[in-house]
Amino acid sequence: MSKLLTPLTIGSLEIKNRFVQSATYESMAKPDGTVTDALIKRYRNLAMGKAGLVIPGLMFVHPLGKSCKYQTGIHKDDMIPGLSCLTEAVKTNGGKIIFQLCHSGQQTNKNIIGQKPMGPSSAVRDPIFFFKPRKMDPKEIKTAIQSFGQSARRAFEAGADGIQIHAAHGYLINEFLSPFFNKRTDEWGGSDENRFRFLKEVIQEVNDKAPGINAVIIKISTKDFIPTRGITPDLAEAYIHMLKEVGIDGVEISCGSTNFSFMNMSRGQVPVKELSQSFPWWMKPLAKMKLQYMSGKYDLEEGYNLEAAKQLKPVLADIPLILVGGLRRFSHMETILENNWADAISMCRPFIREPFLVSKYENNKIERVSCISCNRCLAAIVNEFPVQCYRDDFPQKRK
């Protein structure tokens, strides 16, 4: 039997195979963050398609941490009934589900949260919305940390099997970890240990408020891909050592920043026309010109986070490492697991196109996924369309 189809234990959670649906923003919730039937259907299909673990994406833990209009909320107890329906849909179809908790930090805008976004420092101007964030004061930092703990409690009450703390892709925790964003000189910055303090206290708060949860895992960037020093594989390794000291059940590694280096996160085609569609009329010409300049510079490299995995897995030792990043051939995935470079394979875009791809692989019907990394699915969510495969037909407005 392929190692891809063998069970894996993460914390006290056992998943039936090594396939993980990597969290992505779905653009499927109601504007207030409430779960919808469409969101439930998406994850029911993934469970029916035999994905071992599904991770719904980017649940915002605080109103000021919301980044997108149709983002799923876990910021108040009113969300629990809908979230319970989501977990039930996955579990009754044989799947396991972990909620990804996120605070956007400066990667949002005034139209979403009603005020100027905040971050650890005010030094870095957003490249899309052109503002500099407001520097968080100690009280705001503590409030953000506590919001992760309360959201973990809600996840547990809603029946989630575990928690993924989103510390990657330029969101608030990544901003504290990265020297590029974090210019503080107090207890929250100035050294690797101080920059790690925010994530450390988030983990402690999650464990305190949801002690019965089966697994707490971290999604962390191994490289920011930004103009000046940010997170590098060596700094990520230092953080992995610190995570082991705090105590975590698993790590998913990724790279890039949503607003600062989004094509490094995803690789593949740059859908110029579709991405340009999301900008206001006065920004369209410049946006289109910049996107056209990017075209052809981010061709898909299969397993583009693999070298980082090879560096970090020996540090993690028995703690599972989940690898995401352009994995497309099942034979390649098997090689990664057989060489112990990673313990599980995480995919986003392939599951968007083929929610039943694990079942197909199990029945010897496919040798590789059919996703071609056209990235129109990601352009869709920028345009506030529900996430799905738009390879053959891209909409002009939300239905």
Side-chain angles (χ1 to χ4, degrees):
M1 176 187 290
S2 167
K3 193 170 182 179
L4 287 164
L5 299 175
T6 61
L8 175 67
T9 299
I10 305 173
S12 59
L13 175 66
E14 182 177 288
I15 60 175
K16 60 189 175 185
N17 57 50
R18 305 301 180 99
F19 289 102
V20 178
Q21 184 266 321
S22 190
T24 187
Y25 169 54
E26 307 95 350
S27 191
M28 286 182 171
K30 293 180 181 178
D32 68 352
T34 305
V35 168
T36 60
D37 290 342
L39 194 67
I40 292 171
K41 180 180 179 181
R42 167 172 163 74
Y43 290 104
R44 179 187 294 117
N45 284 343
L46 283 162
M48 292 173 64
K50 298 187 177 181
L53 177 64
V54 300
I55 310 179
L58 215 63
M59 295 184 179
F60 66 94
V61 299
H62 190 280
L64 297 182
K66 182 179 182 181
S67 57
C68 307
K69 182 176 181 179
Y70 298 106
Q71 187 177 357
T72 307
I74 195 168
H75 58 300
K76 58 182 180 178
D77 288 358
D78 292 353
M79 302 293 105
I80 294 174
L83 294 169
S84 298
C85 292
L86 183 59
T87 58
E88 182 182 6
V90 171
K91 289 183 171 185
T92 55
N93 286 285
K96 299 293 174 66
I97 182 169
I98 283 179
F99 286 175
Q100 184 188 70
L101 308 185
C102 184
H103 190 300
S104 65
Q106 75 172 72
Q107 284 193 157
T108 183
N109 64 81
K110 188 176 181 180
N111 293 334
I112 296 292
I113 64 173
Q115 64 181 59
K116 190 175 185 179
M118 57 186 180
S121 306
S122 59
V124 179
R125 187 177 300 278
D126 186 273
I128 296 176
F129 299 105
F130 308 119
F131 65 83
K132 287 187 175 181
R134 178 172 54 82
K135 181 180 177 180
M136 297 172 73
D137 63 37
K139 183 178 179 180
E140 290 171 324
I141 291 172
K142 289 294 185 181
T143 297
I145 290 169
Q146 291 165 359
S147 70
F148 278 92
Q150 291 300 325
S151 295
R153 171 186 60 79
R154 295 181 190 110
F156 179 70
E157 293 180 10
D161 294 303
I163 297 298
Q164 183 179 71
I165 298 169
H166 199 346
H169 299 166
Y171 296 107
L172 183 62
I173 299 178
N174 182 215
E175 291 166 14
F176 270 93
L177 292 172
S178 175
F180 174 72
F181 294 101
N182 188 347
K183 309 296 185 183
R184 301 179 76 100
T185 56
D186 60 5
E187 62 181 322
W188 304 101
S191 68
D192 295 349
E193 291 76 16
N194 283 358
R195 285 190 296 270
F196 181 74
R197 187 185 305 276
F198 187 90
L199 176 54
K200 178 180 179 179
E201 294 201 11
V202 165
I203 295 169
Q204 291 169 339
E205 189 74 13
V206 165
N207 288 333
D208 181 58
K209 297 298 187 297
I213 208 78
N214 291 318
V216 176
I217 66 175
I218 313 298
K219 187 165 192 171
I220 191 169
S221 288
T222 59
K223 192 172 184 180
D224 282 339
F225 288 103
I226 45 184
T228 61
R229 184 184 172 232
I231 293 178
T232 62
D234 287 343
L235 181 53
E237 181 177 341
Y239 287 143
I240 293 293
H241 282 288
M242 296 179 200
L243 285 169
K244 287 185 68 178
E245 291 179 8
V246 176
I248 40 92
D249 299 314
V251 173
E252 182 181 13
I253 63 168
S254 188
C255 68
S257 172
T258 302
N259 284 14
F260 288 80
S261 55
F262 74 98
M263 281 306 302
N264 281 299
M265 287 168 49
S266 302
R267 314 291 171 92
Q269 298 174 28
V270 180
V272 175
K273 178 181 176 182
E274 293 81 1
L275 285 169
S276 302
Q277 184 176 312
S278 68
F279 288 87
W281 66 268
W282 57 273
M283 289 180 66
K284 274 186 169 64
L286 179 60
K288 189 173 183 180
M289 182 176 66
K290 286 188 173 183
L291 289 166
Q292 286 174 335
Y293 175 78
M294 294 166 64
S295 293
K297 297 182 178 180
Y298 297 91
D299 292 343
L300 184 73
E301 175 190 345
E302 193 171 4
Y304 49 84
N305 292 312
L306 179 56
E307 290 306 309
K310 291 178 181 179
Q311 178 176 344
L312 298 177
K313 179 56 187 172
V315 180
L316 284 165
D318 293 335
I319 298 172
L321 185 148
I322 303 168
L323 177 63
V324 72
L327 299 164
R328 298 293 182 262
R329 291 173 297 121
F330 292 107
S331 60
H332 185 213
M333 300 175 203
E334 289 174 341
T335 298
I336 290 169
L337 297 188
E338 292 293 344
N339 283 284
N340 295 315
W341 295 329
D343 301 283
I345 300 297
S346 189
M347 293 180 284
C348 168
R349 291 166 289 175
F351 277 122
I352 292 172
R353 180 167 176 81
E354 296 179 279
F356 289 82
L357 72 83
V358 177
S359 181
K360 293 178 183 178
Y361 171 70
E362 193 174 64
N363 292 314
N364 299 312
K365 292 184 178 179
I366 52 175
E367 295 180 356
R368 61 174 298 133
V369 306
S370 65
C371 173
I372 61 170
S373 305
C374 71
N375 288 322
R376 290 185 179 89
C377 57
L378 305 184
I381 58 177
V382 173
N383 282 281
E384 299 183 342
F385 304 143
V387 71
Q388 64 186 58
C389 184
Y390 292 98
R391 190 165 89 182
D392 302 316
D393 183 30
F394 195 84
Q396 296 301 307
K397 62 181 180 179
R398 187 179 178 103
K399 296 180 181 178

